[in-house]
Amino acid sequence: MFVINCPYCGERDQSEFSCGGEAHIVRPKQPTELSDDEWAEYLFMRKNIKGVQFERWNHAHGCRKWFNMVRDTSNDKIHAVYKMDEKPPVI
Amino acid sequence: MTKYRINKTRFVDQTKTVSFTFDGKKYHGFEGDTLASALLSNGIHLVGRSFKYHRPRGIMSCGSEEPNAICQINANTDLTEPNVRATEIELYEGLKASSQNCWPSLNFDIGGINNLISPFIPAGFYYKTFMWPKSFWKKIYEPLIRLSAGLGKSPTQPDPDIYDHKHEHCDVLVIGGGISGIISAKIAAKNNLKTILIEDKNILGGSTIYQNNKNFIIDNQKSNEWLMNEISELEKLDNLIIKSRTSLAAFHSYNYLLAKENISDHLPLDKKNGSIRQRLWKIRADKVIVAAGAIERPLIFNNNDRPGIILANSVKKYLDFYGVSSGLNNIIFTNNDSAYETAVSLFEKGISVKIIDIRKKSSSNIVKNAEDLGIEIYWNSTVVNTFGYKKIKSIEIMNLSEDGSNVTGNKHKIQCDCLSISGGWTPMVHMHTQSGGKLDFREIDQVFVPSEKSENHINVGSCNGDFELEEIVKNTNNKVKKFLNINESGFDKISVLCSKELEKKNIWLLPNTISDGKTKSFIDFQNDSTAKDIKLALREGFKSIEHVKRYTTTGMATDQGKLSNMHALGIIADTAGVKMGSLGTTTFRPPFTPLTFGAIVGRSVGKFFDIVRKTSIHEWHVQNNAKFENVGQWKRPWYYPINNENLHEAVQRESKAARDSAGILDASTLGKIDIQGSDASEFLNRVYTNAWSKLGIGKCRYGLMLNEDGMVYDDGVTTRLGENHYLMTTTTGGAANVLSKLEDYLQTEWPELDVYLTSVTDHYSTASICGPNSKKILKKLFPNKDFSDEAFPHMSYQDAIIDKIECRIMRISFTGELSYEINIESKYGKSLWENCIAAGEEYKITPYGTETMHLLRAEKGFIIVGQDTDGTMTPIDLQMDWIVSKKKYDFIGKRSLYRSDTMREDRKQLVGLLTDDPNEILEEGAQIVSELDKKPVEMIGHVTSSYFSPNLNKSIALAVVKGGKKMNGQKLFVPMENKNINVTVSDFIFLDKENKRINA
Ligand SMILES: [Zn+2]
């Protein structure tokens, strides 16, 4: 059970948060111009890394804000937490 | 005193007699005893039967690792608890314990027949034998296995006890109250750190507290005396919480730990009354010091499971802690020095003892001590067999060959009534690995020790692989100081004298004159797996320890292999000729010892199990005899029976009334989201499939929301309250998910949009009145309002006032009838409802529940998301093309609607179904086929909604059928268990296709 440092609220128990999967997948601006394969790439394909992974998290039972988190999935170490409009840190 | 209670100790009060029963017979012990020590003091070793072979088994240990002595407490009462270890139950007046797994009785055991046929029950026997014939399963195999297997009986009544949860934070949590835990806690607490020390026994001190031997001296005192003083000093410290009878259950990441405290399990029944039974502690610790200790290993040899064969250090604890001698004619069988302490202690109390050691010699102080006392030692020897059915009577020993792989010379028989065994020690690394730590294999004494350094926890004492008193004390002091950043402690100048073990030898499976296949050398005592089973598994091709474990069930019993895992690994390594360190270990999963369900759920039982949401009108429904159904957490009126009506009868009446005159529904549970901001219209354009920009203020529109994969996600009516202000409704069950999905898009994909979302579901109550007389009722309620179709058309809304309270009236319909929904602040909901009922009385206004609502909308072919859809239906599949905008450039899910897969013509599509017999009602979920004779049967769809319509006087159903769009008029079949029902595909709008009733 992690302690997550919400960029808006501070440290809170993991049970207040929900994970929204891989981060930095941008919704295409013009979906209608994509081929089936390109759209499928956006829609379905996700990495599942053993190691450092960039993830979306939501403080669901708190401020309801979405933010990004860098987590090592092999040991659950959280390397960084940053707001949606911030650049991802270099890990 | 019994003849086995030979010693007085400070831990058992022999002036206070406690009586208890075991298997119905009354015995006596003393305050401070465990059930196991009290049984041993009465000369009772035999406490159970083994799982597979039903061999007699005795008490084997003195702690949580106990594989045999598991009992049922308070059998046949609602307080009963199965699978409790006798070694951990503190004795109390009136305790009722019984043995398990030995039907019909402990001494006469029918299952013992399995022992005789045991050559035919090898590893994987159950998998191999009970496979076929299939028909044997239900009537023969399963009852047979269930009768003779199984551990204990579950209580059949609700648990009457109270359980508690407590959250706690601390600077330092110390796990284990042995000598290293005590040193750690003292250093931490003395340095102003808020410290918690948990210990699963009722008394601190671990095994040092009864180490009464001149070879173990700390600061010129015997180690037990020294520790006793330390404990009394410890108890005076302010910022230390000592929690005894508290065992660690789980060590999660980020130092989040669960511990179970036993509060009243040790109290007599008449003193338990009303008190909390157990408390689950949820601890978040800044730093964790694990001082969990080590567990003694057994030795693996032929017939090593007889009652009277006990771990050597346990024999010592029974003797020096409880004052009970496990036998009067003892033999100790060991591969290490620690068992010599047991021998010396027995000898000093005048009890006969001999030692068998697989080593050729040992030159340590404690061994010299034993030799000086004149204790007979058989060096370089091993036990090859044991005798005695219900208790050990004698053993046979032989010499070991030079390399220890074989036995030589003659067999030598020795009489005994207790055989103490010691195969060395296994550090309790469970906590370390649960928290994510890794292990190293230490070759010299064949143990796994914690490896990786963590910033947040350390392991000290024997769980870290420090077994000798001097290294335990000094390493603990140094490690804890470094871990907590402390320069000096009170233990820096301590002097420790102890016996040191110089000669080490280990043989995982001791050799014998007879082949492995003919010996019974038990590894897992509780699950009855032997060395032979492990070797068989390897011969059959199993390689991974995880597979061998499951195939042979080694380490899978309630003790989780605390005694067996290392030997299983060792024998696999030896047999396969690989290094043990390269095999890795099995995964240690929480909980470390079994947890009660009560402790896990705590107070969240009964009405506290889950939140119950009720509308403000709920009390009226209760008073008017509503039957309720759960929709998510909501309680919704299901139907309102009158005079013993059943569901069907009530629904027929309610449905007819709603179409013939007037019906009223509590629609307060629908999700409501208030949407404001200058981009609100644009936002709706992007989240719904249809267009929103041109919706006038005061108008309502139905919307369909998709997932990005094109599948229908939610639906509902949204009303434009103002230029930049909308009120969205969602399905009752989908409200929370829709809100978080919309928030997700707003925050992450479209942060440029000026839109604010607020959940207002609980803010408003909604009374929905429908039927041809609804307009008349509304006129009575709002006499000043013009309800003409011109002034107040369908799909529009107006503000209104009732009893001086503002409300909103939406003219929208989910039934196809002329219909109005009145929204009012929740606190006025019941009064509004009662006004509606009063105004509608002359029109016999009929309250209806969710079942009638479902029927009415099905007559009109309106879908229910989640009933007629299942996350695989697009709007096109639902024949709702009309709601999908062709003009809009984009909306959530649009692109997916023309992926090759979503455009397939043979997708399941929504259709109506009419049964050829109009009185036949289909079952929801029933499968649909087009050809009855085809094999295998091809299922082309299923029924999603089905009702008998009183308004049409026939059965109607909605279904999804492959290629259904083009099947209108086609005959299909719904095969049921006893018959095939003939159906015809129809339009899914069964009633009023022209929508005349909405303006009736
Ligand atoms: Zn937050």
Short mmCIF file of all heavy atoms in Angstrom, two decimals, chain A residues 6-10 12 16-17 59 62-65 67, ligand 1:
data_model
loop_
_atom_site.label_atom_id
_atom_site.label_comp_id
_atom_site.label_asym_id
_atom_site.label_seq_id
_atom_site.Cartn_x
_atom_site.Cartn_y
_atom_site.Cartn_z
N CYS A 6 0.08 13.45 -3.57
CA CYS A 6 -0.77 14.16 -4.54
C CYS A 6 -0.22 15.58 -4.72
O CYS A 6 0.03 16.27 -3.74
CB CYS A 6 -2.21 14.20 -4.04
SG CYS A 6 -3.27 15.29 -5.02
N PRO A 7 -0.02 16.01 -5.98
CA PRO A 7 0.56 17.35 -6.18
C PRO A 7 -0.34 18.47 -5.68
O PRO A 7 0.10 19.61 -5.56
CB PRO A 7 0.75 17.45 -7.70
CG PRO A 7 0.18 16.23 -8.29
CD PRO A 7 -0.23 15.29 -7.22
N TYR A 8 -1.58 18.16 -5.37
CA TYR A 8 -2.51 19.19 -4.90
C TYR A 8 -2.78 19.08 -3.39
O TYR A 8 -3.06 20.08 -2.74
CB TYR A 8 -3.83 19.11 -5.66
CG TYR A 8 -3.63 19.25 -7.15
CD1 TYR A 8 -3.46 18.12 -7.94
CD2 TYR A 8 -3.56 20.50 -7.75
CE1 TYR A 8 -3.25 18.24 -9.31
CE2 TYR A 8 -3.35 20.63 -9.11
CZ TYR A 8 -3.19 19.50 -9.89
OH TYR A 8 -2.97 19.62 -11.22
N CYS A 9 -2.70 17.87 -2.86
CA CYS A 9 -3.11 17.65 -1.46
C CYS A 9 -1.97 17.22 -0.55
O CYS A 9 -2.08 17.34 0.66
CB CYS A 9 -4.18 16.57 -1.36
SG CYS A 9 -5.59 16.85 -2.42
N GLY A 10 -0.91 16.64 -1.11
CA GLY A 10 0.15 16.11 -0.26
C GLY A 10 0.02 14.61 -0.10
O GLY A 10 -0.70 13.95 -0.86
N ARG A 12 -0.98 11.04 0.81
CA ARG A 12 -2.23 10.37 1.18
C ARG A 12 -2.05 8.87 0.93
O ARG A 12 -1.22 8.44 0.14
CB ARG A 12 -3.40 10.87 0.32
CG ARG A 12 -3.77 12.31 0.52
CD ARG A 12 -4.44 12.51 1.89
NE ARG A 12 -5.02 13.84 2.01
CZ ARG A 12 -4.34 14.94 2.32
NH1 ARG A 12 -3.04 14.88 2.55
NH2 ARG A 12 -4.97 16.10 2.42
N GLU A 16 -6.99 6.11 -1.45
CA GLU A 16 -7.75 7.28 -1.93
C GLU A 16 -7.61 7.47 -3.44
O GLU A 16 -8.28 8.32 -4.02
CB GLU A 16 -7.24 8.56 -1.23
CG GLU A 16 -7.53 8.59 0.25
CD GLU A 16 -7.13 9.92 0.89
OE1 GLU A 16 -6.85 10.89 0.17
OE2 GLU A 16 -7.09 9.96 2.14
N PHE A 17 -6.72 6.71 -4.07
CA PHE A 17 -6.40 6.96 -5.48
C PHE A 17 -6.86 5.82 -6.37
O PHE A 17 -7.04 4.69 -5.92
CB PHE A 17 -4.88 7.12 -5.64
CG PHE A 17 -4.30 8.30 -4.89
CD1 PHE A 17 -3.97 8.18 -3.55
CD2 PHE A 17 -4.08 9.51 -5.53
CE1 PHE A 17 -3.44 9.26 -2.85
CE2 PHE A 17 -3.54 10.59 -4.84
CZ PHE A 17 -3.22 10.46 -3.50
N HIS A 59 -6.76 11.28 -7.90
CA HIS A 59 -7.04 11.34 -6.46
C HIS A 59 -8.56 11.26 -6.28
O HIS A 59 -9.23 12.23 -5.93
CB HIS A 59 -6.47 12.63 -5.86
CG HIS A 59 -6.41 12.60 -4.37
ND1 HIS A 59 -5.96 13.66 -3.61
CD2 HIS A 59 -6.72 11.62 -3.48
CE1 HIS A 59 -6.04 13.34 -2.32
NE2 HIS A 59 -6.49 12.11 -2.23
N GLY A 62 -10.42 12.30 -3.09
CA GLY A 62 -9.78 13.47 -2.52
C GLY A 62 -10.14 14.66 -3.39
O GLY A 62 -11.32 14.99 -3.52
N CYS A 63 -9.15 15.22 -4.06
CA CYS A 63 -9.40 16.43 -4.85
C CYS A 63 -9.92 16.11 -6.26
O CYS A 63 -10.23 17.00 -7.02
CB CYS A 63 -8.12 17.25 -4.95
SG CYS A 63 -6.79 16.37 -5.80
N ARG A 64 -9.99 14.83 -6.61
CA ARG A 64 -10.49 14.38 -7.92
C ARG A 64 -9.59 14.80 -9.07
O ARG A 64 -9.97 14.69 -10.24
CB ARG A 64 -11.93 14.85 -8.15
CG ARG A 64 -12.95 13.88 -7.64
CD ARG A 64 -14.37 14.37 -7.71
NE ARG A 64 -14.71 15.08 -8.91
CZ ARG A 64 -15.81 15.82 -9.07
NH1 ARG A 64 -16.67 15.90 -8.08
NH2 ARG A 64 -16.05 16.43 -10.18
N LYS A 65 -8.39 15.27 -8.77
CA LYS A 65 -7.50 15.72 -9.84
C LYS A 65 -6.71 14.53 -10.41
O LYS A 65 -6.31 13.63 -9.68
CB LYS A 65 -6.49 16.73 -9.28
CG LYS A 65 -7.09 18.11 -9.06
CD LYS A 65 -7.20 18.84 -10.38
CE LYS A 65 -7.53 20.30 -10.17
NZ LYS A 65 -7.79 20.97 -11.45
N PHE A 67 -3.24 13.29 -12.25
CA PHE A 67 -1.84 13.71 -12.32
C PHE A 67 -1.03 12.53 -12.82
O PHE A 67 -1.56 11.43 -12.99
CB PHE A 67 -1.34 14.19 -10.95
CG PHE A 67 -1.47 13.17 -9.85
CD1 PHE A 67 -0.43 12.27 -9.59
CD2 PHE A 67 -2.63 13.09 -9.09
CE1 PHE A 67 -0.56 11.32 -8.60
CE2 PHE A 67 -2.76 12.13 -8.09
CZ PHE A 67 -1.72 11.25 -7.85
ZN ZN C 1 -5.41 15.44 -4.20
#
